[in-house]
């Protein structure tokens, strides 16, 4: 695998995104020159570097990491660009400003330097014209999602001039920066923002139509749909309403989009942006945090009220069911307004994504991965559709379309009727090509082989043993995997018994043992104190002593096991779970894991 050898990089523009991009590079041990204008004698980039320590969530791995970020000015430090192996422009989303920056720096760029624009949706081909021809072959769109330390997606956009082999740069972004890459076409807002904005605007339109309060919308379109808790309107606040408005204008530039009319700024959002007593100018968005609680905008009064309204509990129970078709069919048939709001929001999103996938000539995996990695959805639109049954769900959508319930009543694309699956094995459907295609090599390598999603291969599992608390299994007999099934992968006596058995089984077969939890995002939150408390109530101090001894025996058995033991750590790794990690012979740890003692957190 070829990886670009990048030791020094530059980021042009020290706004919130540019400064955090510099921090992202520094976190991976890369020297980053951060450029901006001068304000009199002051370096704007120096102020931005100082402010990195004030941002929450923290962009820097440690305070010392900032030493790798050097504040620079366009007036005095352009000669330093000659040292750079990678230059990323991250100035305001204005094509004229971006072009002027590239025109200014072009004479200082050495041959062989990779050049990227971090535009979130402007034409990369048009921006490339500001560079001399000899530099265009290594120029491309590098759209990092904000905040770049925490969101994994980088959309890579080639131009018609990009002639260089971009795989080494992609492998650098994956292997060194720890990101995941989706190749996107040079179309306004690319893939993730195009789908994310459409979903937000469609949800907003339906919320107003059915008079669903904003906090109720966020409850329904967040965790119950396997999406982040920020859901719809909290996400709008996090992004920033003014930034959102600019992105909507970019999507609106696609004149042939049948849903063109949806790509307009809702009037209440425009009022929040324009009104100095509301919106971001006063530190308020759709929500406002006060001492006595969270307040939300009421559309009837355009004033804030306490956010206390909730959706019907019966609807939340319905959304929790595993049978996705049953959920969609029930929503479709119901006359209750919350059910109809949610059904039409999901249904028309699927309708739109089927059109967009064909229009952009991308695969179902490209679209699903972009929205999942960029916006934190756990399930992409096509994954949901396939889990609910492609054909039966299509019939529900066709009924909607025929009865005029969608904003646009164009028929579903032909490929929906030609295929019963959007994913088959390790392949995904490419509608424009009319076939299933395997992921590119870099796309396959960017994903953990243990991540169970539809867009990667299905596990060929062989279960060695399984209890209510744990499972020992193998994937093609290469390693044994010990998974804890308790909530937050907490540890109790039964887990410890199974852990000891797993170590002995792996040793008997001379196979390495990986500790990784198949359905849990955390490595572990330590001991199950509720379980231990019960034992104390029944057996007093002696019972606690037995649990402590059992735990120590288990971790010592793990430490001196005569096979490789590997802790695959993500999320929380606290207390006893941290001790388990420390006693393994090897650790593979995600960058943003939270490791240590609970008391010292």
């Amino acid at each position: 695998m070829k990886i670009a050898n990048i030791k020094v990089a530059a980021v042009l523009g020290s706004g919130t995104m540019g400064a955090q991009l510099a921090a992202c590079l520094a976190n991976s041990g890369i020297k980053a020159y951060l450029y901006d204008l001068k304000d009199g004698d002051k370096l704007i980039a120096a102020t931005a570097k100082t402010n990195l320590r004030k941002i929450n969530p923290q962009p820097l791995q440690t305070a010392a990491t900032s030493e790798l970020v050097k504040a620079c000015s366009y007036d005095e430090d352009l000669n330093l660009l000659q040292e750079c192996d990678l230059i990323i422009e991250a100035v305001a989303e204005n094509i004229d400003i971006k072009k002027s920056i590239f025109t200014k720096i072009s004479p200082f760029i050495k041959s062989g330097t990779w050049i990227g624009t971090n535009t979130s949706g402007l034409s990369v081909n048009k921006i490339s014209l500001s560079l001399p021809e000899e530099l265009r072959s290594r120029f491309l769109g590098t759209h990092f999602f904000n905040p770049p330390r925490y969101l994994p997606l980088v959309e890579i956009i080639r131009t018609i001039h990009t002639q260089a082999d971009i795989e080494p740069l992609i492998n650098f972004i994956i292997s060194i920066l720890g990101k995941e890459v989706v190749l996107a076409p040079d179309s306004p807002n690319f893939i993730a923002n195009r789908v994310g904005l459409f979903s937000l605007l469609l949800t907003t339109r339906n919320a107003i139509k059915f008079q669903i309060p904003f906090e109720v919308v966020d409850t329904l379109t967040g965790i119950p749909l396997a999406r982040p808790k920020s859901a719809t309107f909290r996400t709008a606040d996090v992004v920033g309403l003014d930034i959102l408005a600019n992105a909507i204008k970019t999507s609106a530039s696609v004149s042939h989009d049948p849903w063109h009319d949806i790509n307009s700024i809702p009037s209440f959002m425009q009022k929040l942006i324009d009104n100095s007593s509301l919106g971001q100018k006063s530190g308020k968005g759709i929500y406002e945090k006060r001492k006595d609680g969270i307040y939300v905008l009421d559309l009837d009064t355009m004033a804030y009220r306490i956010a206390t309204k909730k959706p019907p509990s019966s609807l939340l129970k319905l959304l929790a069911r595993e049978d996705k078709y049953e959920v969609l069919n029930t929503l479709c048939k119901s006359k209750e307004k919350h059910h109809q709001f949610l059904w039409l929001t999901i249904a028309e999103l699927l309708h739109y994504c089927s059109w967009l996938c064909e229009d952009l000539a991308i695969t179902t995996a490209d679209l699903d991965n972009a929205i999942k990695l960029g916006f934190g959805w756990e399930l992409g639109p096509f994954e949901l559709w396939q889990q609910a049954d492609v054909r039966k769900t299509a019939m529900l959508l066709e009924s909607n379309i025929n009865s005029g319930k969608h904003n646009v009543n164009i028929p579903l694309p032909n490929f929906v009727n030609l295929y019963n699956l959007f994913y088959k094995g390790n392949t995904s459907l490419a509608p424009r090509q009319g076939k299933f295609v395997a992921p590119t090599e870099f796309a396959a390598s960017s994903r953990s082989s243990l991540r169970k999603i539809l867009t990667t291969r299905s596990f060929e599992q062989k279960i060695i043993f399984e209890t209510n608390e744990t499972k020992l299994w193998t994937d093609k007999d290469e390693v044994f995997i010990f998974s804890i099934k308790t909530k937050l992968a907490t540890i109790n006596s039964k887990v410890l018994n199974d852990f000891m058995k797993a170590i002995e089984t792996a040793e008997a077969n001379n196979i390495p043992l990986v500790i990784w939890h198949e359905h849990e995002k955390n490595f572990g939150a330590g001991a199950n104190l509720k379980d231990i408390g019960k034992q104390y109530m029944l057996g007093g101090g002696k019972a606690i002593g037995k649990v402590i001894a059992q735990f120590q025996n288990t971790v010592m058995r793990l430490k001196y096991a005569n096979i490789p033991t590997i802790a695959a750590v993500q999320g929380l790794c606290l207390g006893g779970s941290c001790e388990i990690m420390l006693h393994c012979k090897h650790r593979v740890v995600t960058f943003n894991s939270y490791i240590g003692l609970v008391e010292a957190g």
Side-chain angles (χ1 to χ4, degrees), residues 58-344:
Q58 176 63 254
L60 294 164
Q61 184 180 22
T62 66
T65 306
S66 65
E67 295 174 8
L68 285 171
V69 179
K70 176 179 172 59
C72 301
S73 77
Y74 296 119
D75 298 323
E76 300 171 354
D77 302 308
L78 288 182
N79 61 307
L80 295 177
L81 292 174
Q82 295 172 4
E83 301 175 21
C84 296
D85 309 301
L86 170 66
I87 297 172
I88 300 176
E89 167 272 311
V91 299
E93 280 291 279
N94 180 300
I95 198 164
D96 293 327
I97 295 175
K98 290 179 182 293
K99 284 183 173 182
S100 67
I101 288 292
F102 281 118
T103 301
K104 186 181 186 72
I105 70 164
S106 292
F108 300 91
I109 301 176
K110 69 179 181 181
S111 175
T113 297
W114 291 101
I115 310 165
T117 173
N118 192 59
T119 175
S120 60
L122 300 177
S123 172
V124 180
N125 275 290
K126 289 182 180 179
I127 296 170
S128 72
L129 298 178
S130 59
L131 289 166
E133 287 188 23
E134 61 269 20
L135 295 178
R136 294 177 193 171
S137 67
R138 299 174 74 84
F139 176 83
L140 62 168
T142 50
H143 180 208
F144 288 75
F145 272 64
N146 191 22
R149 173 178 171 179
Y150 299 96
L151 286 179
L153 178 62
V154 179
E155 288 179 311
I156 295 293
I157 305 96
R158 300 179 69 115
T159 75
I160 57 174
H161 308 288
T162 309
Q163 301 299 324
D165 177 10
I166 65 173
E167 186 175 339
L169 179 63
I170 290 174
N171 288 333
F172 163 80
I173 292 170
I174 294 167
S175 299
I176 306 302
L177 299 186
K179 300 300 173 186
E180 299 196 42
V181 168
V182 171
L183 291 179
D186 189 21
S187 178
N189 281 335
F190 314 129
I191 303 175
N193 278 347
R194 187 85 173 273
V195 177
L197 279 173
F198 177 84
S199 177
L200 186 148
L201 292 170
L202 175 67
T203 303
T204 301
R205 181 172 289 210
N206 285 335
I208 294 170
K209 175 182 177 180
F210 289 97
Q211 297 182 311
I212 310 295
F214 288 161
E215 73 268 42
V216 175
V217 171
D218 278 349
T219 300
L220 290 173
T221 60
I223 293 173
L225 293 187
R227 299 177 189 175
K229 190 176 181 180
S230 57
T232 302
F233 297 112
R234 288 188 181 90
T235 296
D237 278 352
V238 170
V239 171
L241 300 186
D242 52 348
I243 294 173
L244 199 65
N246 286 331
I248 292 169
K249 290 176 183 177
T250 302
S251 283
S253 67
V254 187
S255 58
H256 71 276
D257 187 335
W259 282 266
H260 181 270
D261 290 346
I262 281 185
N263 290 313
S264 59
I265 304 167
S267 59
F268 77 89
M269 282 192 189
Q270 192 62 57
K271 287 180 182 178
L272 288 176
I273 295 169
D274 295 340
N275 192 331
S276 60
S277 66
L278 295 173
Q280 291 175 312
K281 293 178 182 177
S282 63
K284 301 175 184 178
I286 296 169
Y287 288 91
E288 181 189 11
K289 188 174 182 179
R290 299 182 185 175
K291 290 182 180 180
D292 59 335
I294 303 296
Y295 282 66
V296 65
L297 185 72
D298 189 306
L299 284 186
D300 291 333
T301 62
M302 283 302 290
Y304 292 94
R305 58 165 177 78
I306 192 81
T308 56
K309 296 184 179 180
K310 298 179 180 180
S313 58
S314 60
L315 178 53
L316 295 176
K317 290 179 181 178
L318 170 65
L319 295 175
R321 295 180 189 174
E322 291 188 9
D323 188 327
K324 300 301 182 186
Y325 177 73
E326 179 190 2
V327 172
L328 296 184
N329 188 47
T330 304
L331 290 175
C332 177
K333 300 296 190 290
S334 174
K335 301 299 182 183
E336 199 274 332
K337 73 172 187 175
H338 293 85
H339 288 63
Q340 276 297 293
F341 154 74
L342 202 53
W343 162 242
L344 290 176

Side-chain angles (χ1 to χ4, degrees), residues 3 57 145 223 261 318 339 359-360 366 422 435 493 573 589:
I3 300 178
F145 272 64
I223 293 173
D261 290 346
L318 170 65
H339 288 63
D359 183 67
L360 295 181
D366 291 333
F422 298 130
K435 63 180 182 180
S493 292
C573 180
V589 184

Side-chain angles (χ1 to χ4, degrees), residues 461-467 469-475 479-485 498-507 509 511-516 518:
Q461 284 194 14
K462 176 183 175 183
I463 298 175
I464 311 303
F465 70 77
E466 184 170 15
T467 66
E469 284 77 21
T470 69
K471 179 168 73 171
L472 181 67
W473 54 285
T474 181
D475 180 18
V479 295
F480 280 172
I481 301 165
F482 182 67
S483 297
I484 299 175
K485 296 158 55 179
D498 293 344
F499 205 160
M500 189 75 82
K501 181 180 176 182
I503 297 169
E504 293 169 351
T505 304
E507 283 183 330
N509 289 274
I511 291 178
L513 180 65
V514 174
I515 297 101
W516 179 82
E518 187 181 3

Side-chain angles (χ1 to χ4, degrees), residues 262-567:
I262 281 185
N263 290 313
S264 59
I265 304 167
S267 59
F268 77 89
M269 282 192 189
Q270 192 62 57
K271 287 180 182 178
L272 288 176
I273 295 169
D274 295 340
N275 192 331
S276 60
S277 66
L278 295 173
Q280 291 175 312
K281 293 178 182 177
S282 63
K284 301 175 184 178
I286 296 169
Y287 288 91
E288 181 189 11
K289 188 174 182 179
R290 299 182 185 175
K291 290 182 180 180
D292 59 335
I294 303 296
Y295 282 66
V296 65
L297 185 72
D298 189 306
L299 284 186
D300 291 333
T301 62
M302 283 302 290
Y304 292 94
R305 58 165 177 78
I306 192 81
T308 56
K309 296 184 179 180
K310 298 179 180 180
S313 58
S314 60
L315 178 53
L316 295 176
K317 290 179 181 178
L318 170 65
L319 295 175
R321 295 180 189 174
E322 291 188 9
D323 188 327
K324 300 301 182 186
Y325 177 73
E326 179 190 2
V327 172
L328 296 184
N329 188 47
T330 304
L331 290 175
C332 177
K333 300 296 190 290
S334 174
K335 301 299 182 183
E336 199 274 332
K337 73 172 187 175
H338 293 85
H339 288 63
Q340 276 297 293
F341 154 74
L342 202 53
W343 162 242
L344 290 176
T345 299
I346 295 170
E348 194 158 5
L349 175 64
L350 299 182
H351 186 188
Y352 179 75
C353 287
S354 64
W355 173 85
L356 185 66
C357 192
E358 189 171 64
D359 183 67
L360 295 181
I362 57 177
T363 69
T364 52
D366 291 333
L367 190 144
D368 279 350
N369 289 337
I371 192 68
K372 287 162 61 181
L373 297 169
F375 286 85
W377 294 17
E378 292 183 19
L379 204 61
F382 288 109
E383 289 179 326
L384 170 64
W385 197 338
Q386 179 158 317
Q387 287 191 10
D389 189 289
V390 172
R391 200 56 237 128
K392 289 195 294 185
T393 301
M395 292 174 67
L396 295 179
L397 300 187
E398 287 167 347
S399 175
N400 267 17
I401 296 166
N402 293 336
S403 57
K405 291 183 177 179
H406 287 187
N407 291 284
V408 172
N409 291 326
I410 63 170
L412 292 172
N414 288 334
F415 77 86
V416 174
N417 297 313
L418 294 175
Y419 298 93
N420 292 321
L421 297 171
F422 298 130
Y423 295 96
K424 186 163 59 176
N426 193 36
T427 64
S428 59
L429 182 62
R432 187 81 72 85
Q433 298 178 48
K435 63 180 182 180
F436 288 87
V437 297
T440 57
E441 185 176 341
F442 77 81
S445 66
S446 73
R447 305 193 160 277
S448 163
S449 62
L450 294 178
R451 185 182 301 180
K452 188 176 183 182
I453 56 175
L454 279 175
T455 54
T456 54
R457 61 177 175 77
S458 298
F459 294 141
E460 296 178 17
Q461 284 194 14
K462 176 183 175 183
I463 298 175
I464 311 303
F465 70 77
E466 184 170 15
T467 66
N468 290 334
E469 284 77 21
T470 69
K471 179 168 73 171
L472 181 67
W473 54 285
T474 181
D475 180 18
K476 292 185 178 179
D477 294 322
E478 294 172 356
V479 295
F480 280 172
I481 301 165
F482 182 67
S483 297
I484 299 175
K485 296 158 55 179
T486 58
K487 185 177 181 180
L488 295 178
T490 51
I491 303 163
N492 57 31
S493 292
K494 293 179 181 178
V495 168
L496 293 174
N497 284 333
D498 293 344
F499 205 160
M500 189 75 82
K501 181 180 176 182
I503 297 169
E504 293 169 351
T505 304
E507 283 183 330
N509 289 274
N510 197 30
I511 291 178
L513 180 65
V514 174
I515 297 101
W516 179 82
H517 314 313
E518 187 181 3
H519 300 295
E520 176 57 57
K521 294 180 179 179
N522 300 288
F523 186 75
N528 186 326
L529 298 181
K530 184 177 180 180
D531 183 73
I532 292 175
K534 288 181 181 178
Q535 294 191 47
Y536 177 77
M537 292 174 66
L538 293 172
K542 289 184 178 180
I544 300 297
K546 287 181 180 180
V547 174
I548 293 172
Q550 183 187 20
F551 178 79
Q552 291 302 322
N553 289 336
T554 303
V555 294
M556 287 299 101
R557 188 72 177 82
L558 178 65
K559 180 177 181 178
Y560 295 110
N562 58 21
I563 52 168
T565 53
I566 305 100

